[in-house]
Amino acid sequence: MRGGTSTRIIVLGAGFGGMEAMVELERRFRDDPSIDLLLVNENNFFLFTPLLPQIVSSYIEPRHIVQNIRDIRHQRRFRFLRARVTRLDLTNQRVSTTTGDLSYDYLVIALGSVPNFFGLEGAEHCYTLHSLEDAVVLRDHILDLLEHADHESDPDRQRQLLTFAIVGGGYTGVELVAELHDLIYRHVGPRYRGIRLAEVRLLLLEARSDILVGVDPDLAARARSKIERQGIGVRTQTKVTCVAPGRLEVGGDEIIETGLVIWTAGVRAHPLLDSLPVEKNKVGRVLVTPQLHLPDFPRVFAIGDNAVVQGAPPEQTPQIAPVALEQARLAAENVARAVSHQHYASFEFEPKGMLVSLGMNYAVVNLKGLKFSGYAAWLAWNAIHLLKLVGLKKQVQVALDWSLATLFPRDTSIIRTPHRCRLCHPKETQQ
Ligand SMILES: Cc1cc2nc3c(=O)[nH]c(=O)nc-3n(C[C@H](O)[C@H](O)[C@H](O)COP(=O)(O)OP(=O)(O)OC[C@H]3O[C@@H](n4cnc5c(N)ncnc54)[C@H](O)[C@@H]3O)c2cc1C
């Protein structure tokens, strides 16, 4: 209890898990003024990550997949603090942020994940796709490479500029490579007269024996066959061992000259969790009890990409949005149970299916065991993602983006001036 009058519940992170946890807490404590609800997030928006690959391909506009937290809050009473969390002190029940320290009675940690490079040499030369900013930077960089390739007279250098390597054949890598294929073949090809499409190489590199591991094998095979028929080079059992400007190394000896390397090969839990005095798995996720709290801290919950449930099979806690959402609801329920001195409930997750989009007009889908692919699956993918988007305005904006893309060319204007690339801007990037 705070000052004998109020109980403060803080939720860290306003992604899928944190936002849902706060909405559920608000629902449970709406009429209880003794409960102080505070949501902390570094950005003032909620990001709908499943549509990030479509930002990179200029299919939809960046602002259309984010929703301002104050708009989501609307009439709700919880407080929102835009700040970056810098330290967690569980012993003293304090959270440090860029705007000051906060104390809590109950804490829900939902800070998400960061890209995992597994110690890769030259990781700093990779592009990632994890935030809205990543997507916009990547989009502009790809368009910049195309601009330079268009007037490049040296055929070897042009081929290098036009080689795009995506590392990681999971959902993100596969959806991204399919989006890039759409962008290049449907929209950029006809507009860049100095580029022959035969010179463009899209490579998907995966260290494991197949792509889309964890997806139904039949659907994964259909997805692979579809992208290979499009000319995308899929290489499995191919481990990237080093990345340098303009090239990457696979298997310790083969060099591939490339315009850019996009790393989608894995994520790890937010680095702030490393300091917590609790057990973690090998990608830094905290091992929580089936009731989702930290073992020695019954008032501290960790959810979504931050947590893995002790003893549960891995398929019960994959790092996907539905897991974060369900855990958020349970964490909020357990906080409410604790406040009213009841026993905690336990987490159970029933996977409902999976959806992978392979560019315009094709997807593979498994909905509660109903498996299908092709145009119908693509319509299902669109409908489900549109429904999951937060806010009617955003739903309308994305639906319009999709519709306009069938009628008009995509807007491939470069918004920012990319300067990181040593291939396109050798003079500006010289040390
Ligand atoms: C490109 C991409 C595509 C994806 N596609 C799918 C998909 O199709 N389907 C699916 O189910 N899942 C998908 N995922 C995975 C899904 O996004 C995550 O599993 C889900 O977001 C996890 O929810 P979370 O609440 O744990 O973390 P997040 O949703 O990542 O939320 C974490 C929040 O914490 C904030 N934060 C981070 N650090 C700080 C800090 N220091 N201080 C304050 N705030 C901070 C972040 O800004 C963010 O708002 C995708 C992920 C990516 C990157």
Side-chain angles (χ1 to χ4, degrees):
M1 290 284 265
R2 178 160 318 289
T5 54
S6 72
T7 301
R8 180 182 282 173
I9 304 168
I10 300 185
V11 176
L12 304 179
F16 280 97
M19 199 67 241
E20 183 72 10
M22 184 47 86
V23 168
E24 185 62 22
L25 284 165
E26 166 92 22
R27 195 179 69 74
R28 290 173 179 272
F29 293 112
R30 189 183 299 137
D31 303 320
D32 186 347
S34 71
I35 304 289
D36 177 24
L37 297 173
L38 177 66
L39 177 65
V40 184
N41 199 63
E42 61 188 349
N43 300 313
N44 72 344
F45 57 75
F46 164 81
L47 171 67
F48 191 72
T49 52
L51 294 183
L52 277 174
Q54 299 193 357
I55 303 294
V56 181
S57 64
S58 301
Y59 192 10
I60 50 181
E61 288 299 317
R63 276 180 209 277
H64 297 174
I65 66 162
V66 296
Q67 176 70 292
N68 189 293
I69 292 168
R70 292 172 195 282
D71 291 339
I72 300 175
R73 181 174 64 173
H74 192 48
Q75 306 277 4
R76 297 183 178 99
R77 71 174 177 92
F78 71 80
R79 293 184 297 124
F80 169 62
L81 172 68
R82 187 190 171 212
R84 175 171 296 133
V85 179
T86 52
R87 190 163 167 263
L88 304 170
D89 177 357
L90 302 188
T91 312
N92 296 304
Q93 297 191 204
R94 289 188 83 73
V95 172
S96 302
T97 78
T98 41
T99 60
D101 286 5
L102 305 162
S103 60
Y104 62 83
D105 296 294
Y106 293 91
L107 185 68
V108 179
I109 305 171
L111 291 169
S113 52
V114 295
N116 190 355
F117 292 99
F118 306 97
L120 175 77
E121 193 184 333
E124 67 277 17
H125 302 297
C126 295
Y127 284 76
T128 54
L129 181 61
H130 210 76
S131 64
L132 189 66
E133 190 182 353
D134 282 352
V136 173
V137 167
L138 189 49
R139 169 198 179 278
D140 284 355
H141 180 50
I142 290 164
L143 297 172
D144 199 30
L145 283 166
L146 293 164
E147 293 294 344
H148 283 80
D150 191 43
H151 57 78
E152 179 56 60
S153 52
D154 176 349
D156 290 338
R157 194 173 143 77
Q158 189 190 47
R159 195 165 162 72
Q160 179 185 26
L161 292 170
L162 294 173
T163 299
F164 304 101
I166 291 101
V167 187
Y171 289 67
T172 304
V174 169
E175 291 197 345
L176 180 61
V177 81
E179 282 298 325
L180 291 185
H181 180 273
D182 268 9
L183 172 73
I184 288 163
Y185 287 85
R186 286 172 188 263
H187 301 274
V188 173
R191 288 172 187 80
Y192 290 75
R193 294 177 188 158
I195 295 177
R196 283 178 47 240
L197 285 181
E199 295 302 321
V200 180
R201 265 204 311 169
L202 285 171
L203 294 176
L204 183 66
L205 308 173
E206 167 58 53
R208 287 180 285 192
S209 58
D210 213 343
I211 62 167
L212 293 174
V213 172
V215 170
D216 174 85
D218 175 44
L219 290 179
R222 281 190 228 176
R224 180 170 181 163
S225 146
K226 165 74 180 167
I227 59 175
E228 284 183 329
R229 281 200 311 276
Q230 289 179 320
I232 293 167
V234 180
R235 289 182 56 179
T236 46
Q237 290 184 315
T238 301
K239 189 169 180 203
V240 173
T241 40
C242 178
V243 176
R247 61 211 199 107
L248 62 81
E249 178 194 79
V250 290
D253 51 10
E254 183 189 346
I255 300 292
I256 300 175
E257 305 272 316
T258 173
L260 93 165
V261 179
I262 310 170
W263 187 264
T264 67
V267 292
R268 71 179 308 281
H270 196 290
L272 268 179
L273 273 64
D274 293 349
S275 65
L276 297 183
V278 292
E279 202 181 336
K280 289 141 219 143
N281 75 357
K282 62 180 193 299
V283 290
R285 297 171 81 187
V286 171
L287 266 63
V288 292
T289 65
Q291 296 75 36
L292 305 182
H293 64 79
L294 273 51
D296 292 327
F297 300 89
R299 290 176 166 217
V300 179
F301 296 81
I303 59 173
D305 285 6
N306 284 172
V308 66
V309 178
Q310 285 172 340
E315 62 273 16
Q316 272 203 11
T317 37
Q319 284 152 301
I320 54 171
V323 171
L325 291 168
E326 290 213 13
Q327 291 188 338
R329 289 176 210 124
L330 183 73
E333 177 184 339
N334 280 344
V335 171
R337 281 172 176 253
V339 169
S340 55
H341 309 290
Q342 293 174 27
H343 289 301
Y344 284 159
S346 299
F347 179 69
E348 279 170 36
F349 180 68
E350 189 65 43
K352 295 188 180 67
M354 67 90 218
L355 310 124
V356 185
S357 158
L358 297 163
M360 270 175 110
N361 301 337
Y362 195 97
V364 294
V365 164
N366 178 357
L367 291 176
K368 294 185 179 173
L370 179 66
K371 298 174 204 167
F372 55 113
S373 59
Y375 188 66
W378 179 75
L379 290 178
W381 190 98
N382 284 359
I384 289 168
H385 283 82
L386 206 54
L387 286 174
K388 300 269 179 206
L389 256 176
V390 182
L392 181 62
K393 180 178 167 192
K394 300 293 165 175
Q395 291 172 327
V396 171
Q397 285 175 322
V398 167
L400 275 176
D401 283 342
W402 286 341
S403 311
L404 291 173
T406 62
L407 299 172
F408 300 104
R410 296 181 186 191
D411 187 341
T412 50
S413 316
I414 297 174
I415 304 170
R416 304 159 28 114
T417 308
H419 48 78
R420 247 182 73 179
C421 174
R422 294 195 197 172
L423 291 180
C424 300
H425 305 274
K427 289 195 180 133
E428 288 165 56
T429 50
Q430 257 168 16
Q431 297 289 321

